């Protein structure tokens, strides 16, 4: 597998700022080539919308090495894309779901931990057999950059982390088959789906279920990036290492092999209802090792470091 610390392939794409000016850039090592000119859209979302046409151009630019290059250290790295839609997969890693079921058990629940684990494992087997992923909507306003602070609002008592592989859409996808789905995924990146655990379940209206809007969509609750890595460079996403460290200690360190539904199945499923657009994100769920499982929640000043094989590393300081 590729190194966690650097993106797979000869180049990646990103969004950057220099002296108040924002631009799309081609990342090669520690240099960034500013993308401009009549043949290249000005934003990464624009590039994704013409992915089949521009990918060969980007490959040529990366190999040629000429043009307007900047030192990466001189630039502010922004979230790599501004999506119009974010689709999030819940309960998509077996061990993670089992751990959450134990952590969120009601005080009057008389079942043992082993009984809960067995029942939840059976439930996930049924879900897989019925071929029904669980997907909900996230808000683009929650996105922040890969090195920006995560600002926890005063009302949030139990902030937690959830590192996820994010598929980035290129060609629009509507009612595509599982076999066709990956043709619509242009790139991949890293997302951290920060969650206010106390707000997930509505205690006042338990029959309503989960409150994803409040629990997951505060500003800065979705660090994204650092870059977009073309899907062709990453290859098979079925065995990537997903690692989340807090203050240097690894809490999540799991393979995407533990997913119930893979990228192709999620994209196809979503597309049966919604039209996926260039730059949209499909978050594929988070593996075991969230803070609730460990009894450790985010505190002021904590440093989160999230890495996925071949996609680089994001680092975000927590500010309360």
């Amino acid at each position: 597998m590729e190194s966690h610390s650097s993106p797979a392939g000869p180049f990646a794409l990103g969004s950057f700022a220099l002296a108040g000016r924002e631009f799309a850039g081609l990342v090669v090592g520690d240099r960034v080539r500013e993308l401009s000119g009549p043949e290249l859209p000005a934003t990464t979302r624009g590039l994704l919308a013409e992915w089949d046409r521009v990918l060969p151009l980007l490959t040529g630019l990366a190999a040629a090495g000429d043009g307007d290059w900047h030192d990466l250290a001189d630039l502010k790295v922004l979230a790599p894309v501004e999506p119009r839609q974010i689709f999030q997969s819940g309960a998509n890693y077996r061990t993670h779901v089992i751990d959450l079921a134990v952590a969120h058990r009601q005080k009057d629940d008389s079942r043992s931990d082993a009984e809960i684990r067995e029942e939840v494992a059976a439930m996930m087997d049924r879900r897989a057999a019925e071929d029904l992923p669980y997907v909900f909507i996230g808000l683009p306003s929650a996105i922040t950059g890969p090195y920006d602070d995560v600002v926890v609002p005063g009302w949030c008592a139990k902030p937690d982390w959830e590192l996820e592989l994010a598929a980035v859409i290129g060609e629009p996808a509507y009612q595509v088959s599982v076999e066709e789905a990956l043709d619509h995924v242009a790139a991949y990146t890293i997302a951290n789906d920060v969650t206010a655990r106390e707000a997930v379940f509505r205690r006042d209206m338990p029959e309503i279920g989960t409150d994803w809007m409040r629990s997951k969509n505060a500003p800065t609750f979705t660090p994204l990036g650092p870059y977009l890595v073309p899907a062709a460079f990453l290859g098979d996403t079925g065995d990537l290492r997903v690692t989340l460290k807090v203050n240097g200690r690894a809490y999540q360190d799991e393979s995407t092999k533990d997913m119930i539904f893979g990228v192709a199945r999620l994209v196809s499923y979503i597309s049966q209802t919604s039209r996926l657009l260039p730059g949209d994100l499909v978050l594929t769920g988070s593996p075991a090792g969230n803070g609730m499982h460990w009894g450790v929640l985010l505190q002021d000043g904590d440093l989160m470091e999230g890495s996925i094989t071949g996609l680089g590393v994001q680092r975000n300081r927590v500010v309360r």
Side-chain angles (χ1 to χ4, degrees):
M1 294 189 294
E2 297 285 344
S3 167
H4 273 42
S5 61
S6 58
F11 67 85
L13 289 176
S15 297
F16 305 92
L18 178 65
R21 183 175 57 86
E22 298 182 5
F23 58 91
L26 189 71
V27 184
V28 178
D30 58 1
R31 298 197 307 156
V32 176
R33 187 194 194 279
E34 190 167 342
L35 296 176
S36 60
E39 294 185 317
L40 292 173
T43 66
T44 53
R45 196 169 82 187
L47 292 164
L48 292 162
E50 301 183 53
W51 192 242
D52 288 344
R53 181 183 70 82
V54 302
L55 184 56
L57 297 177
L58 298 175
T59 302
L61 292 174
D66 56 359
D68 186 11
W69 291 82
H70 302 279
D71 289 335
L72 180 59
D74 295 336
L75 305 177
K76 178 176 174 58
V77 184
L78 308 174
V81 68
E82 293 185 3
R84 283 166 284 204
Q85 304 177 105
I86 304 174
F87 298 90
Q88 298 183 242
S89 176
N92 198 38
Y93 279 77
R94 290 180 61 86
T95 307
H96 175 63
V97 178
I98 293 170
D99 288 346
L100 281 178
V102 173
H104 280 288
R105 66 186 300 164
Q106 299 294 320
K107 292 181 179 179
D108 58 355
D109 192 334
S110 61
R111 295 174 297 170
S112 68
D113 287 0
E115 288 173 329
I116 294 174
R117 290 179 178 276
E118 183 177 354
E119 291 177 17
V120 174
M123 175 269 290
M124 287 187 291
D125 288 339
R126 290 194 300 272
R127 285 183 59 220
E130 293 167 357
D131 205 21
L132 288 174
Y134 178 49
V135 179
F136 54 94
I137 305 299
L139 297 179
S141 60
I143 287 178
T144 194
Y147 311 123
D148 292 342
D149 291 343
V150 170
V151 181
V152 178
W155 58 261
C156 177
K158 296 181 177 181
D160 202 347
W161 58 81
E162 291 192 11
L163 201 69
E164 309 197 15
L165 173 69
V168 187
I169 298 299
E171 181 184 354
Y174 183 59
Q175 296 188 342
V176 300
S177 68
V178 175
E179 293 74 22
E180 299 168 319
L182 293 184
D183 293 338
H184 298 263
V185 176
Y188 292 93
T189 191
I190 304 172
N192 189 351
D193 178 27
V194 177
T195 303
R197 289 290 174 206
E198 79 279 13
V200 171
F201 298 105
R202 290 293 296 254
R203 305 299 183 188
D204 57 334
M205 296 184 292
E207 66 279 2
I208 296 296
T210 47
D211 188 348
W212 297 128
M213 190 286 293
R214 182 166 172 81
S215 62
K216 291 179 176 287
N217 286 291
T220 75
F221 264 33
T222 311
L224 191 70
Y227 311 123
L228 306 180
V229 175
F233 300 164
L234 194 61
D236 182 11
T237 59
D239 187 13
L240 304 177
R241 203 76 192 173
V242 180
T243 304
L244 189 285
K245 297 179 181 179
V246 180
N247 301 329
R249 175 183 170 182
Y251 287 94
Q252 290 184 296
D253 191 16
E254 182 63 83
S255 169
T256 54
K257 286 192 296 186
D258 200 39
M259 279 187 190
I260 302 171
F261 301 102
V263 175
R265 183 67 198 102
L266 291 172
V267 170
S268 175
Y269 175 79
I270 294 165
S271 80
Q272 303 311 309
T273 300
S274 302
R275 182 175 173 81
L276 287 154
L277 302 171
D280 285 354
L281 302 177
V282 175
L283 274 59
T284 59
S286 190
N290 64 286
M292 285 290 287
H293 168 71
W294 294 103
V296 177
L297 295 167
L298 293 168
Q299 304 294 324
D300 184 53
D302 282 350
L303 178 65
M304 294 185 290
E305 295 178 276
S307 61
I308 298 179
T309 308
L311 297 179
V313 183
Q314 58 173 227
R315 298 179 178 87
N316 303 92
R317 185 75 63 182
V318 177
V319 177
R320 292 197 64 102

